[in-house]
Amino acid sequence: MECVLGIACNDFVILASDMTNAHSILVNKQDEDKMFKLSDRLLMAVTGESGDTTQFAEYIEKNIQLYKMRNGYELSPPAAANFTRRNLADSLRSRSPYMVNFLLAGYSERTGPELYWMDYLASMIKTPFATHGYGGMFSIGIMDRYYRPDLTEQEAYDIMKKCVAEIQKRLIINLPNFQVKVLDKNGIHALDVIRSQNLTA
Amino acid sequence: MSILSYNGGCVLAMKGKGCVAIASDRRFGVQTSTLAMDFQRIFEMGPHLYIGLPGLATDTLTVHERLRFRLNLYELRESRKIKPQTFSAMVSNLLYERRFGPYFVEPVIAGLDPVTWEPFISAMDLIGCPNMPEDFVVAGTCAEQLFGMCEALWEPNLEPDDLFETISQALMNAFDRDAISGWGGVVHIIEKDKVTTRMLKTRMD
């Protein structure tokens, strides 16, 4: 029932994720942070089995940091993405696989901003925009329509708002808040949370 | 829901006169949802050796990685480029090792012998049963359609340019009849002195 959205443009990657934490019919909180900062230049928005998400994301985060400590430089986004995929693929045929779907955003001077989509089976694609979840199914068409590689940050945020408006209109499950973070050459910064009351105003 | 048709996709290979061709579609999807139109299913394993891995996308990536590892060790030990027949046996072995928990890919191999330049194609099922015919091999969610198209269009001793036309038409008309294949095509023509890679302009649906 969770939803993550991501758009990669020429200068930045923008990720949005819903903030609802629920167990079956009960909503625990509406301000959950589902994005994990793997490093200054890597951001991961994770959905999936409760517990697996945090465990897997933190495991990857610590290993990324360990590599940096051991070698003195960080893993590039493609290397980090492939490392993550390898871990997920190895866990797939183990006794208890991780049930996580996520978007990995990375920025490096050499390659620029990149967005990787990965599902629980460890299929991976590098793509200009991507989504996960039922909400994602509504959003991907909107991104197809409005995406351009040279979008400004404000324009990309507006596309995210359009997507969230559609999700809140058409998805039966209530997802009132969406957290938005941007990753660019200066690092990660958060934009305003998209809230349902702000959209209708 | 069949595991081999979860992501969709198809690959075929054909023999020609002194050349081989291998082609695939470019769609990556999750059941009915298309997510990428530039997914790579065919991998270069040597200057004249290509393997296509249609099937479950995660296993496409994993088998490619594991195969590249084994092939690199082989080439380090043997100090020579692998023969396509030997490579085919290597792939078959890799798949049969997982006989009771297989990788969900059905490889298609196309290449030229590095010494004699003899064209070689082979295909296998997900547990590594090899098949090395004299004409063409197909695999993927539209395998039946590919069989029909290849049987109709293929003839022996096609020159590289004619082989390109033949394999392209066979691929496109077959995946146009399959909902979960298509969204672009890529064709590699492997000859003794060069490999030509062309992207096909196809119906993007």
Side-chain angles (χ1 to χ4, degrees), chain A residues 56-194:
Chain A
F56 183 75
E58 286 187 357
Y59 176 75
I60 299 296
E61 182 190 334
K62 302 314 169 200
N63 272 287
I64 304 272
Q65 294 302 319
L66 181 62
Y67 185 95
K68 184 177 162 192
M69 283 178 215
R70 276 191 185 140
N71 300 295
Y73 58 89
E74 285 188 7
L75 274 172
S76 65
N82 279 294
F83 168 73
T84 311
R85 194 204 90 79
R86 172 62 17 220
N87 275 292
L88 205 52
D90 287 340
S91 104
L92 181 65
R93 287 180 155 88
S94 72
R95 201 180 35 83
S96 74
Y98 285 112
M99 265 291 289
V100 291
N101 302 308
F102 55 90
L103 297 178
L104 181 64
Y107 185 93
S108 79
E109 268 73 46
R110 211 167 42 84
T111 61
E114 294 188 329
L115 179 66
Y116 292 90
W117 177 101
M118 227 177 298
D119 73 355
Y120 68 102
L121 295 171
S123 319
M124 180 175 82
I125 51 170
K126 180 166 109 61
T127 178
F129 50 87
T131 65
H132 273 297
Y134 290 125
M137 291 185 178
F138 299 117
S139 308
I140 197 82
I142 297 175
M143 291 179 183
D144 270 321
R145 168 70 180 84
Y146 291 108
Y147 174 78
R148 279 184 351 259
D150 59 353
L151 291 168
T152 65
E153 203 177 282
Q154 185 56 41
E155 287 169 336
Y157 185 73
D158 288 338
I159 295 178
M160 288 300 189
K161 285 208 301 201
K162 282 192 178 61
C163 294
V164 172
E166 190 65 18
I167 294 167
Q168 289 173 348
K169 181 175 172 185
R170 292 294 184 181
L171 188 63
I172 196 170
I173 292 147
N174 180 36
L175 297 174
N177 302 323
F178 274 77
Q179 178 186 42
V180 186
K181 286 194 180 159
V182 174
L183 169 62
D184 59 19
K185 64 179 190 305
N186 301 319
I188 301 167
H189 66 274
L191 298 181
D192 289 337
V193 171
I194 305 174

Side-chain angles (χ1 to χ4, degrees), chain B residues 15-30:
Chain B
K15 267 196 203 178
K17 187 169 183 185
C19 61
V20 285
I22 186 166
S24 84
D25 68 335
R26 307 211 74 198
R27 177 184 181 273
F28 170 81
V30 170

Side-chain angles (χ1 to χ4, degrees), chain B residues 141-159:
Chain B
T141 49
C142 56
E144 272 89 34
Q145 291 92 323
L146 282 165
F147 270 125
M149 284 310 308
C150 290
E151 200 63 62
L153 296 181
W154 187 85
E155 53 189 63
N157 294 320
L158 284 166
E159 294 293 330

Side-chain angles (χ1 to χ4, degrees), chain B residues 45-47 49 70-87 90 112-116:
Chain B
M45 304 305 287
L49 184 57
R70 290 197 189 195
L71 182 58
N72 285 343
L73 279 179
Y74 178 97
E75 291 186 346
L76 282 169
R77 265 188 233 117
E78 304 265 328
S79 304
R80 62 186 174 92
K81 292 274 165 258
I82 196 170
K83 277 201 307 213
Q85 292 87 332
T86 318
F87 180 67
M90 183 191 274
L112 300 175
D113 189 299
V115 173
T116 65

